[in-house]
Amino acid sequence: MDSGALNDLDHRLLEALQLDGRAPFSHLARLLDLSERTVARRYQRLRGLGLRIVGQPDPARLGLVRWLLRLHCTPDAAGTIAEALARRPDTSWVTLASGGTELYCAVNTRTAGERNALLLHKLPRTPHVLSVSAHCMMRIFVGATSTWHATRFRPATPATPAAPAALAVDSGTPLTPLALDATDRTLFTKLARHGRATLPELSKATGRSPSSVQRHLDRLRTEGALHLSVDFDPQLLGYHMSTRLWLNVAPAHLRTVGETLATHPAIAFAAAITGTSNLVASGVFRTPADLYDYIDRQIGPLPGIQSIETAPTLREVKRLAPALP
């Protein structure tokens, strides 16, 4: 199904869900000036096309360190290695790029021991892995928990409120890691499977009353530890060119460039990282020509950019599958 099969109502519903993935159908109906029955019917249709609402932990808010791994493999083994990484509980997304010989993987680690077990022992000893580079994400400017934002693909409509804090540029203010109890951890596990799980369902899973569950949810969301993300194939909206951008930016301009990229509709993720390239971003475009225009007109004029490398995504092996706290 191509983007022509999705009408304006579908787009508006995706936008509204991005603003609050757990919003009741009654609230969505008022927001979109539609009947509750119509909203429920369109939501179920989108679910049939692959829509998922996923509860995701914010790594930094929970004391986790996020790494981006870049592996070069032999062509015959890249897919197998990608699948093996996707099965690990500490990876949140895995993609194949660059002719199928390069793959990217996001990993959350809590301790140096967890980090070293993977980076110093497991991966270097994996057959057919030619090289491994690990980049610590020092500052995530946009997309800390999501692969893309539905509200970014269409201009805001009068029925769509302003974007929430979850879509805003990261302020970078250090926060004390939020302590979790058994109820919180169970909620993360359940919401990772279905972010719109009902209070009775969550109450049964946690053994707590619905009012207690609601208090836990409110705390996790207010404290920025839990985000609800919309997962929907961009190709169904007409975006067929997903690309990783590796930039080398002069240190004096790193923050400015990162914060600017975070405001660009095409950019779903941008972070300052360690390594030769000090800024990485993920962009989604309709065509290769759109990617060219973006580099020429929006990346090119930015100050301090010394080099840029592009790597189109060939296949997303794992996405929006959070490493649980």
Side-chain angles (χ1 to χ4, degrees):
M1 178 172 290
D2 59 26
S3 59
L6 299 178
N7 60 24
D8 184 68
L9 191 159
D10 296 314
H11 285 273
R12 292 168 61 208
L13 179 54
L14 284 170
E15 293 170 2
L17 287 169
Q18 181 66 63
L19 298 178
D20 184 1
R22 287 186 60 80
F25 288 145
S26 58
H27 174 78
L28 295 171
R30 289 193 300 272
L31 182 67
L32 301 174
D33 194 23
L34 299 166
S35 71
E36 188 172 339
R37 182 179 178 180
T38 297
V39 170
R41 185 175 67 249
R42 303 301 293 195
Y43 170 77
Q44 292 301 330
R45 177 175 179 270
L46 290 172
R47 286 198 69 186
L49 295 175
L51 170 66
R52 292 189 304 151
I53 308 296
V54 181
Q56 296 193 292
D58 185 291
R61 193 67 185 89
L62 299 178
L64 302 173
V65 178
R66 194 169 178 84
W67 293 81
L68 173 60
L69 308 184
R70 188 177 189 182
L71 286 71
H72 286 87
C73 312
T74 58
D76 60 322
T80 301
I81 294 171
E83 295 287 351
L85 285 170
R87 289 192 294 269
R88 292 180 60 97
D90 55 355
T91 61
S92 53
W93 47 258
V94 181
T95 59
L96 279 170
S98 299
T101 60
E102 184 172 68
L103 62 90
Y104 307 127
C105 174
V107 180
N108 297 328
T109 62
R110 187 176 300 278
T111 66
E114 291 178 358
R115 176 198 65 200
N116 294 343
L118 178 63
L119 301 184
L120 300 182
H121 302 291
K122 181 66 176 178
L123 288 177
R125 297 174 183 175
T126 301
H128 306 292
V129 173
L130 304 178
S131 67
V132 180
S133 59
H135 309 269
C136 179
M137 299 187 195
M138 301 179 292
R139 171 76 58 79
I140 298 177
F141 295 103
V142 68
T145 59
S146 184
T147 53
W148 62 279
H149 302 304
T151 52
R152 292 173 170 264
F153 287 96
R154 286 172 59 84
T157 65
T160 303
L167 304 187
V169 173
D170 176 16
S171 67
T173 303
L175 296 173
T176 302
L178 187 67
L180 303 180
D181 61 18
T183 298
D184 296 325
R185 296 182 187 280
T186 301
L187 290 176
F188 273 115
T189 300
K190 295 293 292 185
L191 294 172
R193 299 190 185 104
H194 181 31
R196 289 182 63 86
T198 65
L199 281 180
E201 291 171 337
L202 297 175
S203 177
K204 181 179 179 180
T206 60
R208 306 295 292 269
S209 68
S211 60
S212 175
V213 168
Q214 188 63 63
R215 286 195 297 272
H216 278 265
L217 285 174
D218 291 343
R219 170 178 174 264
L220 292 173
R221 298 186 72 181
T222 301
E223 295 286 347
L226 171 67
H227 301 287
L228 278 300
S229 298
V230 172
D231 181 25
F232 194 68
D233 187 351
Q235 294 193 50
L236 296 181
L237 298 174
Y239 293 81
H240 301 283
M241 188 77 185
S242 297
T243 305
R244 190 83 61 197
L245 306 171
W246 300 85
L247 291 83
N248 191 337
V249 183
H253 298 284
L254 182 59
R255 177 192 293 271
T256 299
V257 173
E259 292 180 350
T260 300
L261 291 185
T263 68
H264 291 171
I267 299 300
F269 167 81
I273 59 173
T274 59
T276 304
S277 297
N278 55 4
L279 184 63
V280 64
S282 295
V284 186
F285 308 90
R286 291 186 181 275
T287 66
D290 289 338
L291 171 60
Y292 173 83
D293 287 341
Y294 176 75
I295 294 173
D296 180 44
R297 299 177 183 178
Q298 298 195 57
I299 293 287
L302 293 177
I305 294 182
Q306 299 169 339
S307 65
I308 180 172
E309 177 186 354
T310 58
T313 297
L314 300 182
R315 180 163 67 96
E316 291 181 306
V317 181
K318 181 180 185 179
R319 70 179 186 185
L320 278 190
L324 298 175

